[in-house]
Amino acid sequence: MSKAIFAEILKEKKLKITPQRIAILEELEKNGHSSVDDIFNGIKLKVPSVSLATVYKNILALQSVDILKSVKTPTHKQKYEINVKPHVHLFCKICENLEDFVINTQDFQEYCKKESGYYCIEEASVLLTGVCRNCAK
Ligand SMILES: [Zn+2]
Ligand SMILES: [Zn+2]
C-alpha cells in the first residue's frame, strides 16, 4: 500500500492524517506483527523527533477505529498488525515467530455459535502454538 492509500484509510475512519500515523502503518506493512518498541525503533529512523509515548498513543488511536488489531502472544508480548482479512496465528514456541495462516474463520464461528447455544460471536482470535518449519529441522 502507498502513502496515499494509508491517507485514504485514515480519512475514511475520520482520523487526522499525520506523518507519524502514516509511518506506523508503513512500518507494520513492511514487518508484519510488531511490538510498540519495534514500531518505535523503525520510525525513529524516519521521524527522529518522535517519542515512544506518541507512537503508543497513535497505535491506540488506530486500533480504536479498527485499522490496527492487537495480537496477544503466549509470551505476553503485545503485538500489532494491520487489520486485513480474518486469519489465525501460528506461534512457534522456540523462536517465538508469529505467522499468519489464512483460513475461513467464518465456518469456525458458525460452528461455535451453534454449539454454544447461539452465543453472539463477533470475531475469532485463534492462536495455534507449535514448532515452525525452521525450528523443526
Ligand atoms: Zn521457530
Ligand atoms: Zn496476523
Side-chain angles (χ1 to χ4, degrees):
M1 279 185 263
S2 67
K3 272 189 174 65
I5 292 175
F6 286 137
E8 200 53 47
I9 293 171
L10 290 170
K11 208 172 115 190
E12 204 177 284
K13 299 282 188 178
K14 297 184 171 56
L15 276 191
K16 217 174 115 192
I17 299 160
T18 65
Q20 289 93 330
R21 286 175 181 163
I22 300 283
I24 289 170
L25 292 171
E26 282 178 335
E27 200 56 32
L28 279 170
E29 186 187 33
K30 192 170 68 174
N31 302 321
H33 316 102
S34 310
S35 66
V36 176
D37 288 325
D38 297 335
I39 298 168
F40 174 61
N41 288 327
I43 289 179
K44 240 182 2 191
L45 303 170
K46 286 187 250 174
V47 193
S49 62
V50 79
S51 72
L52 182 62
T54 305
V55 170
Y56 191 60
K57 242 178 23 204
N58 279 304
I59 288 172
L60 292 183
L62 292 166
Q63 191 190 358
S64 73
V65 295
D66 286 331
I67 295 175
L68 297 189
K69 272 183 82 143
S70 69
V71 185
K72 286 183 189 70
T73 70
T75 52
H76 308 293
K77 262 188 221 142
Q78 182 86 17
K79 301 213 174 190
Y80 294 87
E81 66 180 346
I82 296 176
N83 191 8
V84 280
K85 57 179 152 186
H87 58 270
V88 304
H89 287 110
L90 303 172
F91 180 76
C92 174
K93 63 180 183 184
I94 296 173
C95 67
E96 300 186 0
N97 186 48
L98 201 59
E99 213 177 299
D100 284 349
F101 181 45
V102 179
I103 59 165
N104 187 345
T105 51
Q106 204 59 43
D107 294 344
F108 175 65
Q109 286 185 59
E110 280 307 316
Y111 170 80
C112 294
K113 192 173 161 184
K114 280 197 196 103
E115 290 297 311
S116 65
Y118 289 88
Y119 192 98
C120 176
I121 295 163
E122 291 174 352
E123 70 162 291
S125 162
V126 180
L127 187 118
L128 304 164
T129 302
V131 178
C132 76
R133 288 174 294 272
N134 279 338
C135 295
K137 274 181 202 157

